[in-house]
Amino acid sequence: MKVTKVMTRKLITGSPEEGLREAFFKMKQNRIRHLPVVDGDMNLLGLVTDRNLRRPDWVDEAPDIAHVYYLDDNMTLGDVMTTDVIAVHTYDHVDKAARIMHENRFGAVPVLNKEERLDGMLSAVDLLVVLEDLLNEQRRMKKK
């Protein structure tokens, strides 16, 4: 089964210039935890998670340095996004994507098309739907 069959196609994205507070409320309103950061052509530039917004890595860069962090629009997604994003492709199989997510402890991965543009997101919730379908199918087969 290809990831395109189960991925989420309704994309909520951000731009590198978008303020953190604005992005936080966009994610909250749309009930998402992963926000792909793209340019105008849907090229994936980075990924921001709700965890990045709650406490960016630079806040805890050293135990002897204290940083104050406010969730406001003075900082942008470009300031906190992860840029070395591991993604899957539309032609990949679900088991490959699940393995990547499991090995890296990801809650979601971006799905890129052949042109390397963002085409969807595959989340752990999407994979749970696949698991549920497989278990239901197995139950139906046992009843026959």
Side-chain angles (χ1 to χ4, degrees):
M1 178 186 303
K2 304 277 186 181
V3 296
T4 52
K5 187 165 175 85
V6 296
M7 71 182 189
T8 301
R9 290 185 182 274
K10 180 185 171 215
L11 289 170
I12 309 296
T13 62
S15 71
E17 301 82 23
E18 189 171 330
L20 296 187
R21 186 172 177 79
E22 179 184 349
F24 173 81
F25 283 104
K26 178 191 290 187
M27 292 171 73
K28 185 175 180 175
Q29 177 183 352
N30 289 286
R31 300 178 64 203
I32 59 172
R33 294 187 303 250
H34 304 84
L35 185 68
V37 181
V38 297
D39 64 15
D41 294 325
M42 294 303 282
N43 292 305
L44 182 65
L45 304 175
L47 186 69
V48 173
T49 67
D50 59 341
R51 193 174 294 174
N52 296 126
L53 295 181
R54 286 194 310 263
R55 193 162 181 88
D57 289 340
W58 60 264
V59 172
D60 299 314
E61 67 186 349
D64 57 333
I65 300 174
H67 291 286
V68 177
Y69 169 66
Y70 297 105
L71 183 64
D72 58 27
D73 286 329
N74 291 327
M75 290 185 67
T76 65
L77 291 178
D79 295 325
V80 300
M81 68 183 181
T82 299
T83 55
D84 57 340
V85 180
I86 297 174
V88 297
H89 291 86
T90 53
Y91 50 81
D92 286 330
H93 290 272
V94 170
D95 60 325
K96 177 183 179 182
R99 185 171 47 261
I100 289 170
M101 291 172 66
H102 178 248
E103 288 172 355
N104 292 284
R105 300 179 51 87
F106 291 158
V109 289
V111 181
L112 306 179
N113 62 24
K114 290 179 182 174
E115 291 79 35
E116 296 295 313
R117 291 194 172 95
L118 185 65
D119 202 41
M121 288 292 290
L122 182 69
S123 71
V125 173
D126 297 326
L127 295 177
L128 286 172
V129 170
V130 172
L131 176 62
E132 182 181 20
D133 289 347
L134 289 171
L135 292 172
N136 286 335
E137 181 63 27
Q138 187 179 46
R139 242 184 255 117
R140 280 192 294 275
M141 297 300 279
K142 283 184 179 181
K143 287 182 180 180
K144 287 183 178 181

